[in-house]
Amino acid sequence: MTGLLRNDAPGAFAREFHLSSGGALHKISGWWVPFFHTVCASSAFLGALVIGLQLHYHKIVQNEHFGYPDEWFPSVSATIGDRYPGRNVFQLLIALTCPSRLLLHALWYVLLSRAAPTRAKALFGIGFLRTITCGGWVYVTSSDDHDVHDVMMIAYMLLTLPYMILLLKSGDKSPFTHNTKELVANRSRRKWVFLMFFGSIPPMIYFFISHKVHKVAGAYTSYAFFEWALIVFDVMFDSLAMVEFKALDLAVLPGKPDEQRE
């Protein structure tokens, strides 16, 4: 039997269910969930970038109009999807990110379901759909199917707006911690990351149009930097959940004896 425990209550575990005997067999802080998510996601993108730069530099900076030295830094799509073994290392590490990502959404639901039940359900649903669309653009790369990759990427970006807004409005409403000062400070951090994320989109679109339509040399490298910035801010936004999730424990709990189940 597994369960979620509050770890902010003094003394005995605070919980909504009855333990037939003993305490938790094992428990870990909820802080580890966003931590593992951050480590796996960062390692996936950084690992693919390092491998690509080392093994296929000139190939991954090449695009349909220009190559090195006009273009000298690769886009996210070229880095994660075009070449072996970078693509394979990336897909392995991003698969390891999925369990912690789904747990992230589940724990947000637990934290917010009392104070803001409607928002908690909406956040979980949007987060789940966002995870699916993320899988769409990381596993179907632009070299596999450009249209599917772009549709999934656009859907992911559109879902990111309500996802971040809901967390901005609800992240400090957890009833499981009394350190409201820390929650308010973390909300301010989220706001700045939110602004940096969406502030990066207009210049990214500008440089993409410059590359695609006007065929400006070097524009795709500028586009790539803003594309990578979105990845950094996206991962950073979810990493801030480490503050709220310190109030929860993930625990393995003993079940009822067999005679009590009958």
Side-chain angles (χ1 to χ4, degrees):
M1 179 179 179
T2 59
L4 289 165
L5 309 178
R6 288 174 50 181
N7 65 14
D8 62 323
F13 295 138
R15 50 197 178 274
E16 295 182 3
F17 43 81
H18 174 72
L19 285 180
S20 57
S21 61
L25 300 175
H26 185 72
K27 68 174 182 176
I28 62 171
S29 171
W31 176 91
W32 287 101
V33 173
F35 175 80
F36 281 133
H37 178 271
T38 303
V39 169
C40 290
S42 301
S43 299
F45 286 99
L46 184 60
L49 178 61
V50 170
I51 292 172
L53 292 177
Q54 288 293 321
L55 300 181
H56 312 291
Y57 176 70
H58 287 89
K59 292 179 180 178
I60 61 176
V61 300
Q62 179 76 40
N63 58 59
E64 67 268 37
H65 302 309
F66 302 99
Y68 182 83
D70 295 307
E71 307 290 1
W72 54 272
F73 198 77
S75 67
V76 173
S77 297
T79 301
I80 68 174
D82 285 355
R83 303 288 170 180
Y84 170 87
R87 170 177 179 161
N88 307 80
V89 170
F90 171 78
Q91 291 186 344
L92 174 63
L93 289 171
I94 211 69
L96 294 176
T97 309
C98 187
S100 56
R101 189 178 185 91
L102 294 175
L103 270 176
L104 193 78
H105 301 322
L107 290 184
W108 271 123
Y109 178 81
V110 171
L111 279 173
L112 302 176
S113 57
R114 284 185 175 181
T118 302
R119 289 182 186 176
K121 293 176 182 177
L123 183 63
F124 181 83
I126 292 171
F128 186 77
L129 289 175
R130 192 166 169 265
T131 300
I132 293 174
T133 56
C134 178
W137 65 263
V138 300
Y139 285 104
V140 181
T141 64
S142 56
S143 57
D144 295 329
D145 190 315
H146 202 279
D147 291 338
V148 171
H149 177 82
D150 286 351
V151 167
M152 287 296 183
M153 174 65 81
I154 292 170
Y156 181 83
M157 298 288 288
L158 292 174
L159 289 168
T160 297
L161 180 61
Y163 176 78
M164 289 188 172
I165 289 176
L166 282 170
L167 277 177
L168 278 171
K169 290 181 174 295
S170 308
D172 60 346
K173 299 188 182 304
S174 168
F176 290 171
T177 180
H178 304 298
N179 194 343
T180 55
K181 184 178 180 180
E182 189 175 25
L183 292 180
V184 171
N186 208 39
R187 182 184 181 186
S188 178
R189 296 185 200 106
R190 275 201 184 88
K191 182 178 179 180
W192 280 109
V193 176
F194 169 84
L195 292 174
M196 288 187 291
F197 182 94
F198 285 99
S200 299
I201 294 177
M204 184 183 73
I205 294 174
Y206 169 80
F207 285 115
F208 182 79
I209 293 174
S210 297
H211 159 74
K212 200 75 174 178
V213 179
H214 304 297
K215 299 179 176 59
V216 176
Y220 203 68
T221 293
S222 299
Y223 161 82
F225 278 114
F226 285 102
E227 190 181 28
W228 279 104
L230 292 182
I231 299 297
V232 172
F233 297 142
D234 193 355
V235 175
M236 188 184 299
F237 189 87
D238 280 328
S239 73
L240 295 173
M242 284 186 270
V243 172
E244 288 86 1
F245 287 8
K246 288 188 296 184
L248 289 180
D249 284 335
L250 285 171
V252 178
L253 306 168
K256 294 181 179 179
D258 293 337
E259 60 271 15
Q260 293 186 19
R261 297 180 183 179
E262 297 176 353

